[in-house]
Amino acid sequence: MFKRPGNYFFIVPWIAFIPWYGMLIAMLICWAAQGHPIYWFMHTEQFPVYISDIGATNLRPLFIACAGWQGLGYVITIACEYFQRAGRWPFRMPNSKSPHVEAEYDNVSSYTERLLHSRLLMPPYYTKHERNLIFASFVLGCIGEIALLMCSIFSTAKYHHVHISMVAIFCIFMLLSIVCLTAEYFSMGRHYASIHPLAATKADFDPSNPTNIDSLPWNKWTGHIWNKFTISATLKTIWCIAAIVWAICFGAIHDNSKSACFEWLLAFWFGIIFMIISADFYLGSLYKRSKYFHQIETFAGYYKYDKFAGVRDYESNDSSGKYEDSDRTETMVQEDSPVEA
């Protein structure tokens, strides 16, 4: 049984990609109903035809509308990722915390309780690198989705070279956008692994000498590695690898029929990333009711957490987004809180 979500941002990705799937299915149905025609601007027999070929016919308004809707939906989805973790939209400058919020924190004593009283809708990022990755994903996604819109406007029947160029730009920039999103989740998973309460159950965990994750090589992990961030990043990586393979097949295979098959496969595969992000939003919205979150005593100087928990000296963080604290204490499990495997 699914738990009640903390908010309903997880619906946003579905609103974005369902019309995209509807467009693809409608195109296939219309093309089949017409008897699988080879259109006047096509030079060879093939089965199936490209999405762009159908989109250049009387279904062009549908192509433009749904491509634009999906593009806007993707950009809004990434903006929601930023908003839920940062407390502001990516295109807005940060504001200082209001006295009302400070006073609200003053009435709460526990570190975790203060963080729970914050207005963040998902766990905030741990370092500024993750914030920058979300912002980069947002910008790259904007460029890629604008290219897709231009691709639908400049039909392959009349502007073939422009159309092909826009397809290439769309594929490249959308891949880069999703790679940035994947890197963000890997980074968050790496930091979360070292402070997760279950890290204390690992054989290599030494409570008297906790590991500073930032002192380790970038490819070195410790603690509860397979957490929700790492799993999500792994799924995104699998998605990216498959998308790259199918995009290469789409562009490199000279047989138009086989190439078109990979284009359709890639178009439907694109919707999967929205499902993964939706799951991220759903699980992220539950963090204030998480089984383990209440066991965390400190986030050890991760500036975004301390900022929203009302810790006054968060502004002393260095350029990497972490405190320079030689007495840094890693997260421990509260003694009166049992840890479940």
Side-chain angles (χ1 to χ4, degrees):
M1 187 69 180
F2 289 103
K3 296 180 180 179
R4 181 179 178 181
N7 59 70
Y8 291 93
F9 275 93
F10 73 95
I11 298 176
V12 174
W14 290 86
I15 296 175
F17 88 87
I18 286 179
W20 174 256
Y21 270 15
M23 178 200 73
L24 296 175
I25 295 171
M27 283 182 166
L28 287 174
I29 292 174
C30 290
W31 182 63
Q34 294 169 356
H36 304 122
I38 300 299
Y39 299 111
W40 60 270
F41 52 84
M42 299 173 64
H43 305 294
T44 59
E45 293 284 336
Q46 66 179 84
F47 185 93
V49 296
Y50 290 108
I51 297 173
S52 300
D53 294 332
I54 302 176
T57 63
N58 58 341
L59 293 179
R60 186 180 176 192
L62 175 68
F63 190 22
I64 295 174
C66 291
W69 179 278
Q70 178 278 132
L72 182 62
Y74 178 82
V75 171
I76 291 175
T77 295
I78 302 302
C80 288
E81 168 83 16
Y82 192 99
F83 174 76
Q84 292 180 90
R85 298 200 187 280
R88 62 183 176 87
W89 296 104
F91 40 79
R92 293 191 62 182
M93 296 298 292
N95 296 321
S96 60
K97 199 185 314 180
S98 66
H100 171 73
V101 177
E102 292 283 3
E104 179 182 325
Y105 290 138
D106 289 338
N107 295 327
V108 186
S109 58
S110 167
Y111 183 97
T112 305
E113 288 178 356
R114 281 184 290 177
L115 188 56
L116 289 172
H117 276 69
S118 72
R119 298 175 181 177
L120 295 178
L121 301 178
M122 290 202 300
Y125 40 78
Y126 294 95
T127 69
K128 291 183 178 180
H129 301 303
E130 292 142 14
R131 177 202 63 188
N132 294 340
L133 284 168
I134 305 174
F135 186 79
S137 178
F138 174 77
V139 173
L140 292 168
C142 286
I143 297 173
E145 294 293 2
I146 289 174
L148 177 62
L149 182 61
M150 294 298 102
C151 173
S152 64
I153 293 174
F154 294 96
S155 71
T156 187
K158 297 181 179 180
Y159 308 97
H160 182 70
H161 294 294
V162 175
H163 181 88
I164 295 300
S165 299
M166 292 298 104
V167 170
I169 293 173
F170 165 70
C171 292
I172 292 171
F173 278 87
M174 289 306 298
L175 176 63
L176 292 175
S177 174
I178 297 169
V179 166
C180 286
L181 199 62
T182 304
E184 175 224 341
Y185 272 77
F186 268 127
S187 180
M188 291 191 71
R190 183 171 179 265
H191 286 90
Y192 186 55
S194 67
I195 65 173
H196 194 285
L198 288 183
T201 66
K202 304 302 177 182
D204 59 349
F205 182 80
D206 182 4
S208 63
N209 185 28
T211 303
N212 185 338
I213 193 67
D214 292 322
S215 67
L216 298 176
W218 67 270
N219 59 340
K220 178 69 175 178
W221 294 59
T222 185
H224 185 58
I225 296 176
W226 289 106
N227 54 70
K228 60 184 178 182
F229 297 111
T230 309
I231 293 173
S232 175
T234 302
L235 291 175
K236 291 183 179 72
T237 301
I238 295 172
W239 185 95
C240 286
I241 293 172
I244 291 172
V245 171
W246 293 330
I248 291 174
C249 292
F250 163 51
I253 294 178
H254 297 293
D255 186 326
N256 288 342
S257 295
K258 293 180 180 178
S259 175
C261 287
F262 281 105
E263 183 194 33
W264 283 98
L265 178 60
L266 189 60
F268 278 104
W269 185 247
F270 185 45
I272 302 298
I273 196 66
F274 287 92
M275 299 180 193
I276 297 174
I277 296 174
S278 177
D280 293 337
F281 286 5
Y282 172 77
L283 294 175
S285 72
L286 300 174
Y287 85 102
K288 294 184 179 182
R289 291 181 275 136
S290 168
K291 177 170 60 176
Y292 298 111
F293 191 84
H294 297 272
Q295 301 179 30
I296 298 176
E297 296 177 347
T298 176
F299 281 88
Y302 288 115
Y303 83 104
K304 197 69 177 179
Y305 283 85
D306 282 351
K307 175 180 178 180
F308 279 89
V311 177
R312 299 302 194 274
D313 60 349
Y314 66 84
E315 293 181 351
S316 64
N317 61 306
D318 62 6
S319 60
S320 67
K322 288 292 305 299
Y323 289 115
E324 291 289 349
D325 184 2
S326 59
D327 297 325
R328 178 179 183 270
T329 304
E330 291 288 343
T331 303
M332 300 296 176
V333 181
Q334 294 179 1
E335 295 180 357
D336 58 348
S337 300
V339 177
E340 299 183 21

